[in-house]
Amino acid sequence: VLFLSSSTVDMIWRSSQGFSKRAEDLVTLCMRYIRLSHTFFWAQTATSSNGLNDCEEYLKDANECKIPVDDEHIGPLLLSPYGLKALERVNQLSKEEKEGLMGSCLPPSQYAYILLVWVGVHLTEGLKNGTLRGGAGFEENLYRQLATLRACMFDIDDFRAGRMPLAYVQLVQVLVDSLIVISPFAL
Protein backbone atom coordinates (compact mmCIF):
# COMPACT_ATOMS: atom_id res chain seq x y z
CA VAL A 1 0.00 0.00 0.00
CA LEU A 2 1.36 3.36 -0.99
CA PHE A 3 0.54 6.38 1.16
CA LEU A 4 1.04 9.81 -0.38
CA SER A 5 1.41 12.90 1.74
CA SER A 6 -1.02 15.73 1.17
CA SER A 7 1.76 17.89 -0.28
CA THR A 8 2.54 15.16 -2.83
CA VAL A 9 -1.12 14.84 -3.75
CA ASP A 10 -1.33 18.63 -4.12
CA MET A 11 1.73 18.66 -6.36
CA ILE A 12 0.34 15.88 -8.56
CA TRP A 13 -3.06 17.61 -8.72
CA ARG A 14 -1.54 20.94 -9.74
CA SER A 15 0.70 19.43 -12.40
CA SER A 16 -1.99 17.22 -13.94
CA GLN A 17 -5.17 19.28 -13.63
CA GLY A 18 -4.24 22.78 -12.67
CA PHE A 19 -6.63 25.09 -10.95
CA SER A 20 -6.89 28.76 -10.21
CA LYS A 21 -5.81 30.45 -7.02
CA ARG A 22 -9.48 31.33 -6.35
CA ALA A 23 -10.47 27.66 -6.57
CA GLU A 24 -7.60 26.67 -4.29
CA ASP A 25 -8.63 29.33 -1.76
CA LEU A 26 -12.26 28.17 -1.90
CA VAL A 27 -11.36 24.52 -1.36
CA THR A 28 -9.00 25.47 1.49
CA LEU A 29 -11.75 27.55 3.14
CA CYS A 30 -14.29 24.74 2.83
CA MET A 31 -11.80 22.21 4.23
CA ARG A 32 -11.18 24.50 7.22
CA TYR A 33 -14.92 24.85 7.83
CA ILE A 34 -15.39 21.08 7.66
CA ARG A 35 -12.51 20.47 10.10
CA LEU A 36 -13.94 23.07 12.49
CA SER A 37 -17.40 21.56 12.12
CA HIS A 38 -15.98 18.17 13.07
CA THR A 39 -14.17 19.68 16.04
CA PHE A 40 -17.26 21.59 17.20
CA PHE A 41 -19.43 18.49 16.78
CA TRP A 42 -17.26 16.44 19.13
CA ALA A 43 -16.88 19.38 21.51
CA GLN A 44 -20.64 19.51 21.98
CA THR A 45 -21.06 15.74 22.15
CA ALA A 46 -20.90 14.27 25.62
CA THR A 47 -17.95 11.90 25.34
CA SER A 48 -14.88 11.83 27.53
CA SER A 49 -15.25 15.60 27.86
CA ASN A 50 -18.13 17.10 29.76
CA GLY A 51 -20.01 17.71 26.52
CA LEU A 52 -22.02 20.85 26.15
CA ASN A 53 -24.96 22.12 28.08
CA ASP A 54 -26.64 24.94 26.19
CA CYS A 55 -27.26 26.98 29.31
CA GLU A 56 -26.37 30.64 29.63
CA GLU A 57 -23.18 29.83 31.56
CA TYR A 58 -21.41 29.13 28.27
CA LEU A 59 -22.73 32.19 26.47
CA LYS A 60 -21.26 34.83 28.81
CA ASP A 61 -18.71 37.39 27.80
CA ALA A 62 -15.33 35.92 26.92
CA ASN A 63 -13.56 38.11 29.48
CA GLU A 64 -15.60 36.59 32.31
CA CYS A 65 -15.16 32.94 31.38
CA LYS A 66 -16.03 30.90 34.46
CA ILE A 67 -15.52 27.52 32.88
CA PRO A 68 -12.71 25.61 34.53
CA VAL A 69 -9.90 24.75 32.16
CA ASP A 70 -9.38 21.01 32.65
CA ASP A 71 -9.85 17.79 30.71
CA GLU A 72 -13.51 17.44 31.72
CA HIS A 73 -14.60 20.84 30.40
CA ILE A 74 -12.65 21.26 27.15
CA GLY A 75 -15.74 20.85 24.93
CA PRO A 76 -17.79 23.63 26.55
CA LEU A 77 -14.70 25.81 26.77
CA LEU A 78 -14.02 25.49 23.05
CA LEU A 79 -17.58 26.50 22.16
CA SER A 80 -17.76 29.36 24.64
CA PRO A 81 -17.05 32.93 23.52
CA TYR A 82 -13.68 32.51 25.22
CA GLY A 83 -12.88 29.46 23.09
CA LEU A 84 -14.06 31.13 19.89
CA LYS A 85 -11.85 34.10 20.69
CA ALA A 86 -8.90 31.73 21.17
CA LEU A 87 -9.66 30.12 17.79
CA GLU A 88 -9.66 33.59 16.28
CA ARG A 89 -6.26 34.33 17.83
CA VAL A 90 -4.74 31.22 16.23
CA ASN A 91 -6.34 32.04 12.85
CA GLN A 92 -8.78 29.15 12.82
CA LEU A 93 -11.73 31.56 12.76
CA SER A 94 -11.88 35.07 11.38
CA LYS A 95 -13.45 37.85 13.41
CA GLU A 96 -16.46 37.87 11.06
CA GLU A 97 -16.89 34.10 11.37
CA LYS A 98 -16.69 34.26 15.18
CA GLU A 99 -19.25 37.07 15.27
CA GLY A 100 -21.44 35.18 12.80
CA LEU A 101 -21.49 32.10 15.04
CA MET A 102 -22.12 34.09 18.21
CA GLY A 103 -24.72 36.31 16.53
CA SER A 104 -26.67 33.39 15.07
CA CYS A 105 -28.95 33.21 18.15
CA LEU A 106 -28.46 29.44 18.13
CA PRO A 107 -26.98 27.44 20.98
CA PRO A 108 -23.32 26.45 20.68
CA SER A 109 -24.32 22.85 20.03
CA GLN A 110 -25.48 24.00 16.58
CA TYR A 111 -22.20 25.65 15.54
CA ALA A 112 -21.06 22.48 13.75
CA TYR A 113 -24.15 22.58 11.54
CA ILE A 114 -23.81 26.31 10.88
CA LEU A 115 -20.33 25.68 9.50
CA LEU A 116 -21.69 22.98 7.18
CA VAL A 117 -24.26 25.46 5.90
CA TRP A 118 -21.45 27.93 5.24
CA VAL A 119 -19.64 25.24 3.22
CA GLY A 120 -22.76 24.78 1.11
CA VAL A 121 -23.13 28.53 0.59
CA HIS A 122 -19.49 28.94 -0.47
CA LEU A 123 -19.70 25.95 -2.82
CA THR A 124 -22.87 27.33 -4.40
CA GLU A 125 -21.23 30.72 -4.91
CA GLY A 126 -18.15 29.01 -6.36
CA LEU A 127 -20.28 27.09 -8.83
CA LYS A 128 -22.26 30.20 -9.83
CA ASN A 129 -19.24 32.47 -10.37
CA GLY A 130 -17.20 29.79 -12.18
CA THR A 131 -14.57 29.24 -9.49
CA LEU A 132 -15.59 25.58 -9.42
CA ARG A 133 -16.44 23.93 -12.71
CA GLY A 134 -18.53 20.88 -13.23
CA GLY A 135 -21.86 19.79 -14.55
CA ALA A 136 -25.10 19.05 -12.79
CA GLY A 137 -23.67 15.72 -11.59
CA PHE A 138 -20.76 17.48 -9.88
CA GLU A 139 -23.07 19.92 -8.11
CA GLU A 140 -25.48 17.17 -7.11
CA ASN A 141 -22.61 15.06 -5.77
CA LEU A 142 -21.28 17.95 -3.65
CA TYR A 143 -24.68 18.54 -2.08
CA ARG A 144 -25.28 14.82 -1.55
CA GLN A 145 -21.94 14.51 0.26
CA LEU A 146 -22.77 17.46 2.51
CA ALA A 147 -26.21 16.02 3.27
CA THR A 148 -24.66 12.62 4.02
CA LEU A 149 -22.13 14.19 6.37
CA ARG A 150 -24.87 16.04 8.21
CA ALA A 151 -27.01 12.88 8.41
CA CYS A 152 -24.07 10.91 9.82
CA MET A 153 -23.60 13.56 12.50
CA PHE A 154 -27.25 13.16 13.52
CA ASP A 155 -26.94 9.36 13.42
CA ILE A 156 -24.06 9.43 15.89
CA ASP A 157 -26.29 11.07 18.51
CA ASP A 158 -29.06 8.54 17.80
CA PHE A 159 -26.65 5.60 18.12
CA ARG A 160 -25.22 7.00 21.35
CA ALA A 161 -28.70 7.29 22.81
CA GLY A 162 -29.09 3.53 22.30
CA ARG A 163 -32.64 3.74 21.07
CA MET A 164 -34.35 0.43 20.58
CA PRO A 165 -36.69 -0.16 17.65
CA LEU A 166 -40.31 -0.28 18.73
CA ALA A 167 -40.92 -3.60 16.96
CA TYR A 168 -38.35 -5.33 19.20
CA VAL A 169 -40.06 -4.09 22.35
CA GLN A 170 -43.44 -5.28 21.06
CA LEU A 171 -42.01 -8.69 20.12
CA VAL A 172 -40.55 -9.17 23.60
CA GLN A 173 -43.90 -8.16 25.13
CA VAL A 174 -45.75 -10.75 23.02
CA LEU A 175 -43.23 -13.47 23.96
CA VAL A 176 -43.44 -12.68 27.66
CA ASP A 177 -47.24 -12.61 27.59
CA SER A 178 -47.28 -15.94 25.73
CA LEU A 179 -44.97 -17.57 28.24
CA ILE A 180 -47.04 -16.29 31.16
CA VAL A 181 -50.24 -17.65 29.63
CA ILE A 182 -48.69 -21.04 28.83
CA SER A 183 -46.78 -21.47 32.11
CA PRO A 184 -49.75 -22.84 34.20
CA PHE A 185 -50.21 -25.67 31.71
CA ALA A 186 -46.51 -26.51 31.80
CA LEU A 187 -46.66 -27.12 35.54
Side-chain angles (χ1 to χ4, degrees):
V1 178
L2 176 65
F3 292 102
L4 296 175
S5 68
S6 62
S7 61
T8 306
V9 172
D10 287 346
M11 185 177 69
I12 292 169
W13 176 256
R14 285 189 185 132
S15 64
S16 64
Q17 300 290 325
F19 53 90
S20 69
K21 178 72 172 138
R22 283 186 343 177
E24 182 179 1
D25 291 344
L26 177 62
V27 170
T28 302
L29 175 69
C30 290
M31 285 180 0
R32 183 172 59 85
Y33 282 163
I34 289 171
R35 280 193 305 268
L36 277 171
S37 176
H38 182 259
T39 303
F40 286 172
F41 173 76
W42 287 109
Q44 64 90 23
T45 303
T47 57
S48 60
S49 75
N50 193 25
L52 177 70
N53 181 353
D54 288 326
C55 68
E56 292 297 317
E57 176 184 347
Y58 301 114
L59 303 176
K60 290 182 181 174
D61 186 17
N63 295 329
E64 299 175 14
C65 182
K66 300 198 189 290
I67 303 170
V69 181
D70 59 24
D71 290 342
E72 292 184 16
H73 297 90
I74 192 67
L77 179 62
L78 183 64
L79 294 172
S80 70
Y82 180 78
L84 294 178
K85 191 172 186 177
L87 286 171
E88 179 187 358
R89 273 195 309 266
V90 295
N91 295 323
Q92 291 299 311
L93 279 176
S94 70
K95 183 176 183 177
E96 295 79 22
E97 292 164 350
K98 178 189 75 157
E99 290 172 356
L101 288 172
M102 292 173 58
S104 66
C105 298
L106 291 172
S109 63
Q110 301 304 303
Y111 289 173
Y113 305 110
I114 293 171
L115 288 167
L116 288 181
V117 170
W118 289 356
V119 169
V121 168
H122 284 289
L123 291 175
T124 301
E125 289 174 2
L127 288 166
K128 283 183 182 176
N129 66 23
T131 302
L132 296 176
R133 287 184 230 128
F138 176 70
E139 182 178 357
E140 187 267 334
N141 191 29
L142 282 175
Y143 294 134
R144 183 173 353 109
Q145 296 300 326
L146 277 174
T148 301
L149 179 60
R150 190 167 190 255
C152 288
M153 291 168 91
F154 283 116
D155 284 346
I156 289 171
D157 279 338
D158 289 343
F159 292 142
R160 274 187 337 97
R163 294 191 177 116
M164 193 178 297
L166 187 58
Y168 178 78
V169 175
Q170 291 172 337
L171 176 66
V172 169
Q173 182 67 45
V174 168
L175 287 173
V176 169
D177 289 347
S178 301
L179 289 173
I180 290 174
V181 168
I182 296 174
S183 64
F185 301 111
L187 297 174

